[in-house]
Amino acid sequence: QQANFSTSTVNAMTERRRARQDIPRPQVFVFGEIEGAVPNWPLTKLYCSWRLVFDSTKWWVIQGETEGETFTSNVGPHGFCAWNHPVGIHLALKALQGWPRIEFVVRGSDSHGRHRLAGYGSWALPSTPGTTEVLCRCWRPTGTGLLSRLRSYLLGIVPELQQNDLLSNPAGSRPGLRTEDSVDVLLRISVVHQNFKPNGLETGAELWRSGAS
């Protein structure tokens, strides 16, 4: 059965549809620095590889880099490796699911020049606008036997993940894996929202399951 609409009703529906189409997509600006890290003994130099991960079916990049690497920094007199590595990216989205996370792989070397993994880390960007400074605790796999610990201590051989994609799912990234705390990475990140309210999006302590028009 075909519904009959008056001319005024059709015009009103058309105007509402046009108004929704004229609303620009919600956008997120992320900028700040990976300031540095507190190393764990016996490492005396550190560098960090990072990447921003998100649901690419709901988010896309307008401008900026989603991955990078710091320079190698020596431990300073206060026990801190300073990088001051800039991070800046402009994203658009059509839904809040798959909110971005930043992942780290920190590596370094000791006073004998032996290179080894320092730790893995993952941190979800704040869902509310503002500036956040956080110390992100990293971890690394550790052997279960005495031989593994001796190899790590004497030779600098540390187990590593075969797939870094496991970091994207912190709840299931370490099933049955023995780990230990390692380096702490210091971040200062600012988040700016644009066009959220016109699209009916809200963020807070928990992300609402609403999508953009």
Side-chain angles (χ1 to χ4, degrees):
Q1 183 178 0
Q2 184 174 2
N4 295 320
F5 297 102
S6 65
T7 303
S8 60
T9 302
V10 172
N11 290 339
M13 294 171 61
T14 303
E15 288 299 324
R16 284 196 296 267
R17 188 180 299 110
R18 183 179 298 114
R20 288 197 299 267
Q21 292 174 347
D22 290 340
I23 297 176
R25 285 287 188 187
Q27 299 173 35
V28 174
F29 298 83
V30 180
F31 55 93
E33 286 186 344
I34 304 175
E35 296 188 342
V38 180
N40 56 334
W41 186 88
L43 300 177
T44 59
K45 297 180 180 181
L46 291 178
Y47 71 93
C48 174
S49 302
W50 65 272
R51 66 172 184 163
L52 196 69
V53 295
F54 47 84
D55 186 342
S56 59
T57 65
K58 299 177 176 64
W59 295 70
W60 62 95
V61 177
I62 296 178
Q63 189 176 15
E65 299 294 332
T66 59
E67 59 183 30
E69 188 171 281
T70 71
F71 64 90
T72 300
S73 173
N74 292 300
V75 178
H78 301 291
F80 186 73
C81 290
W83 295 318
N84 300 115
H85 180 84
V87 175
I89 187 167
H90 179 191
L91 299 164
L93 62 143
K94 61 182 180 180
L96 293 177
Q97 292 93 332
W99 193 267
R101 304 180 64 89
I102 187 168
E103 296 180 351
F104 320 96
V105 180
V106 184
R107 300 181 184 276
S109 59
D110 59 20
S111 58
H112 300 288
R114 295 177 299 187
H115 294 268
R116 68 171 70 181
L117 171 73
Y120 300 103
S122 177
W123 181 65
L125 297 183
S127 60
T128 53
T131 299
T132 302
E133 191 168 58
V134 62
L135 199 62
C136 179
R137 174 62 54 88
C138 296
W139 58 272
R140 66 184 181 188
T142 181
T144 57
L146 177 61
L147 180 59
S148 297
R149 292 188 174 275
L150 285 175
R151 291 176 64 192
S152 174
Y153 180 79
L154 298 175
L155 303 177
I157 300 175
V158 178
E160 298 190 25
L161 296 178
Q162 294 296 317
Q163 299 180 15
N164 289 345
D165 291 342
L166 295 175
L167 298 176
S168 301
N169 181 14
S173 62
R174 291 180 264 178
L177 183 64
R178 185 172 182 178
T179 64
E180 62 184 3
D181 291 339
S182 57
V183 298
D184 292 319
V185 176
L186 181 61
L187 299 170
R188 181 173 51 82
I189 296 293
S190 297
V191 176
V192 176
H193 295 174
Q194 188 175 49
N195 305 323
F196 267 48
K197 287 186 177 180
N199 284 280
L201 295 180
E202 298 181 47
T203 60
E206 295 182 354
L207 296 179
W208 291 86
R209 295 291 184 180
S210 57
S213 301

